[in-house]
Amino acid sequence: DVKVTQSSRYLVKRTGEKVFLECVQDMDHENMFWYRQDPGLGLRLIYFSYDVKMKEKGDIPEGYSVSREKKERFSLILESASTNQTSMYLCASRGAGSNYEQYFGPGTRLTVT
Amino acid sequence: GENVEQHPSTLSVQEGDSAVIKCTYSDSASNYFPWYKQELGKRPQLIIDIRSNVGEKKDQRIAVTLNKTAKHFSLHITETQPEDSAVYFCAASKSGGYQKVTFGTGTKLQVIP
């Protein structure tokens, strides 16, 4: 059974703080993704990674960066948090074979005040 | 890039009735179309998917149809039950686990007992 875990379920940070969100998967998946989920906007891709140290920008990368030093771990970094980054953040992983299913983590509700 | 539109944004049906959710996509190269269900407070989970070499796929009370010419695909749920109440997301991507997935904005389905 695939497990994708995220470091926090709820997080409250102040404007200007540097924020780290971590995601870990235990299925040896090559591909990992970070989304933000906002009402009425669905799931929007921030960044994804298809291999260690590799990253690709998604649809809304501005204000974010990522790090993938190990295959199982994918971190999302908010260099200087702003109130418009208050959102639900979802991590997902996916294998490289013919099964394209994405497995999501439980999400991190981030509030920036 | 790919753009996925999803309608309706909300849908209420009586228990036992059918529900239909429709999506359109813009990139004719997309060939993998998954549907995810997200129950309140939980992570999205894959419920069914279809690849462009087939026009329809069924799994018990759920079916998905694909019209490649018109670039639209639909989710059909028959004999709806209260546990079908959730947010449903359609998505589109090219094949390959490293490909990014573009999601629709979601449909909140309410099944009224």
Side-chain angles (χ1 to χ4, degrees):
Chain A
D1 195 23
V2 176
K3 281 198 172 58
V4 181
T5 58
Q6 295 182 226
S7 50
S8 306
R9 290 301 304 268
Y10 300 94
L11 208 53
V12 180
K13 295 291 182 181
R14 293 196 181 276
T15 303
E17 279 193 85
K18 190 168 186 176
V19 181
F20 292 87
L21 303 182
E22 293 205 325
C23 175
V24 177
Q25 51 93 5
D26 68 354
M27 282 302 291
D28 202 35
H29 282 169
E30 288 75 8
N31 307 287
M32 297 187 74
F33 306 81
W34 274 106
Y35 296 91
R36 67 176 280 178
Q37 182 175 15
D38 301 288
L41 297 177
L43 298 165
R44 292 181 293 166
L45 182 64
I46 304 171
Y47 267 97
F48 67 106
S49 168
Y50 53 87
D51 201 351
V52 175
K53 296 190 185 296
M54 304 303 290
K55 61 185 179 184
E56 292 282 343
K57 291 181 180 180
D59 299 315
I60 52 165
E62 296 78 18
Y64 304 94
S65 62
V66 290
S67 172
R68 193 162 180 207
E69 296 297 320
K70 293 185 178 181
K71 190 175 186 180
E72 67 270 19
R73 189 179 299 269
F74 192 34
S75 301
L76 180 69
I77 304 156
L78 287 66
E79 294 290 342
S80 178
S82 64
T83 55
N84 62 12
Q85 293 179 309
T86 291
S87 186
M88 171 67 82
Y89 290 87
L90 287 163
C91 173
S93 73
R94 188 186 194 186
S98 58
N99 176 9
Y100 301 153
E101 178 176 357
Q102 290 200 345
Y103 295 87
F104 284 86
T108 296
R109 170 73 64 185
L110 173 67
T111 302
V112 182
T113 61
Chain B
E2 176 65 276
N3 181 47
V4 177
E5 294 191 356
Q6 182 172 350
H7 300 280
S9 56
T10 60
L11 180 59
S12 290
V13 299
Q14 292 289 331
E15 182 177 356
D17 286 351
S18 294
V20 180
I21 302 170
K22 298 183 178 182
C23 291
T24 60
Y25 62 99
S26 61
D27 188 348
S28 56
S30 289
N31 55 10
Y32 173 67
F33 307 93
W35 287 87
Y36 286 80
K37 175 184 180 183
Q38 186 179 30
E39 296 176 7
L40 189 63
K42 297 192 176 180
R43 67 192 77 188
Q45 290 192 297
L46 181 73
I47 55 170
I48 195 167
D49 56 15
I50 191 167
R51 303 188 189 211
S52 61
N53 56 346
V54 298
E56 184 174 2
K57 185 176 179 180
K58 285 184 180 179
D59 183 3
Q60 299 182 352
R61 296 185 296 107
I62 293 172
V64 58
T65 58
L66 171 65
N67 183 327
K68 282 189 65 179
T69 303
K71 289 190 280 188
H72 67 70
F73 56 113
S74 301
L75 178 72
H76 304 254
I77 306 173
T78 58
E79 300 173 17
T80 53
Q81 300 169 5
E83 53 264 38
D84 294 329
S85 296
V87 178
Y88 292 81
F89 293 98
C90 64
S93 80
K94 301 179 182 68
S95 57
Y98 58 91
Q99 297 284 353
K100 69 178 229 180
V101 177
T102 302
F103 285 85
T105 50
T107 296
K108 185 175 182 180
L109 173 64
Q110 181 184 20
V111 179
I112 303 165

